[in-house]
Amino acid sequence: LRARPRMFLVLFAACMVFFSTVQSFYHADLSPVAYCTPETSAKQKCQSKIDVFVNRLSSTNSLLGFDYGRFDLCMPEHVQHPRENLGQVVFGDRISNSPYTVLFQKSNKCAFVCKKEYQSNDSSAMERLQFLIDGIKNNYFHYWIIDNMPVTWCVDANSLQRPSTSSFDVQCSTGFPLGCHVAEDGQARDACRIYESLKKPGSVYVFNHVDIMVTFNPGKHGRALLISAKVTPRSIKHPEAGHAVDCWNPKLPPMDIGSQDSGQPLVI
């Protein structure tokens, strides 16, 4: 047997933004397609834009699922929903487009998507913030789709501080968490157990950044097929307005939304 050659496309996106049950699906409107670079898409008659779709958020700690926009996340200017089949309706799927711009073979190390601001004297804003905090504490998960494939999140099983149920050191999930929190007694909960920087007692961290890696097979005549899509969520608190977005400064602290300075707006 001949091994198929593989290439990797690494894409990084900033967003506003343990393991759950595996979800399987096939959506006729999201069927796999051939991809090529923007420079050759017209000639090759293939697609250069990789669409990122989002689904409802859910949690193993609750029977309630919520639409993507309910958590005050970054939304596209025009929200569109592909057709849903009966099975998806029965299981509560609510798929929509996302604000993420991903182009085939075009790496982006740090892209700004949106900003959310919460003023303590704005009751509506504080209600949205509290809903986000509650969602993080209840371990709600994102479920994204790229090229009709679930976007997976993989972590080192040893970092979960529990016996591995697999013979592999890496465990993957078809979703990724909205954030994580640390109890007042300093006990890290859920995803906070695998991030060394997320350890402050009483903190609620939002994963406001994601790193996306798309793997593809080059195929023939420059028409590639996507093989997998993986995401790594991160929490980053950026400097005050006026500074450029920096996704890779190790000195930047994580984004703790559990406590706000009196009179100061919280900006995510």
Side-chain angles (χ1 to χ4, degrees):
L1 295 177
R2 295 177 60 189
R4 293 187 302 176
R6 293 190 177 184
M7 299 180 67
F8 297 91
L9 169 64
V10 182
L11 302 151
F12 302 100
C15 72
M16 163 51 207
V17 237
F18 162 61
F19 291 103
S20 61
T21 56
V22 175
Q23 297 183 343
S24 300
F25 57 85
Y26 181 84
H27 200 297
D29 283 359
L30 307 180
S31 56
V33 298
Y35 291 91
C36 54
T37 62
E39 294 79 9
T40 62
S41 60
K43 180 180 179 180
Q44 298 288 350
K45 295 183 179 180
C46 51
Q47 189 169 316
S48 60
K49 182 176 183 292
I50 301 176
D51 293 317
V52 180
F53 291 90
V54 296
N55 204 343
R56 301 188 76 190
L57 282 81
S58 63
S59 170
T60 56
N61 298 330
S62 173
L63 296 176
L64 297 177
F66 295 97
D67 286 350
Y68 188 81
R70 184 65 178 86
F71 288 97
D72 202 28
L73 302 170
C74 292
M75 299 291 291
E77 184 177 355
H78 302 289
V79 177
Q80 299 176 340
H81 301 280
R83 293 197 311 268
E84 295 170 333
N85 59 42
L86 179 60
Q88 290 171 315
V89 173
V90 170
F91 285 101
D93 285 346
R94 187 59 171 167
I95 299 171
S96 64
N97 58 325
S98 76
Y100 303 101
T101 301
V102 179
L103 296 177
F104 182 72
Q105 277 196 297
K106 298 294 181 182
S107 295
N108 195 340
K109 293 186 177 181
C110 198
F112 174 80
V113 178
C114 79
K115 180 178 71 173
K116 298 290 182 176
E117 186 170 320
Y118 303 92
Q119 294 277 2
S120 58
N121 59 356
D122 186 338
S123 59
S124 177
M126 297 311 293
E127 286 179 5
R128 296 195 302 273
L129 177 61
Q130 188 59 52
F131 193 85
L132 176 61
I133 291 173
D134 292 341
I136 291 173
K137 288 184 174 181
N138 281 288
N139 201 26
Y140 270 81
F141 265 53
H142 292 273
Y143 296 96
W144 290 7
I145 305 164
I146 289 180
D147 198 41
N148 210 33
M149 299 181 296
V151 176
T152 59
W153 172 52
C154 301
V155 300
D156 184 351
N158 296 323
S159 65
L160 295 177
Q161 301 176 7
R162 64 185 181 191
S164 174
T165 58
S166 170
S167 59
F168 300 98
D169 290 332
V170 176
Q171 294 184 355
C172 297
S173 164
T174 55
F176 64 96
L178 190 61
C180 66
H181 74 288
V182 181
E184 294 291 345
D185 62 2
Q187 183 178 357
R189 304 293 176 85
D190 305 314
C192 281
R193 293 179 295 166
I194 67 173
Y195 291 91
E196 290 298 328
S197 61
L198 309 183
K199 301 299 182 184
K200 180 182 175 182
S203 296
V204 179
Y205 300 105
V206 60
F207 290 140
N208 58 332
H209 284 252
V210 289
D211 301 339
I212 305 172
M213 183 174 72
V214 178
T215 308
F216 66 96
N217 185 310
K220 296 181 179 180
H221 309 296
R223 297 167 60 88
L225 294 177
L226 304 189
I227 297 174
S228 68
K230 296 181 180 180
V231 64
T232 301
R234 294 190 291 141
S235 181
I236 302 175
K237 182 179 181 180
H238 287 287
E240 298 298 326
H243 294 267
V245 176
D246 186 353
C247 303
W248 302 104
N249 186 348
K251 296 182 179 180
L252 292 178
M255 188 71 236
D256 177 12
I257 63 173
S259 58
Q260 297 84 45
D261 295 333
S262 178
Q264 296 295 322
L266 175 65
V267 180
I268 303 177

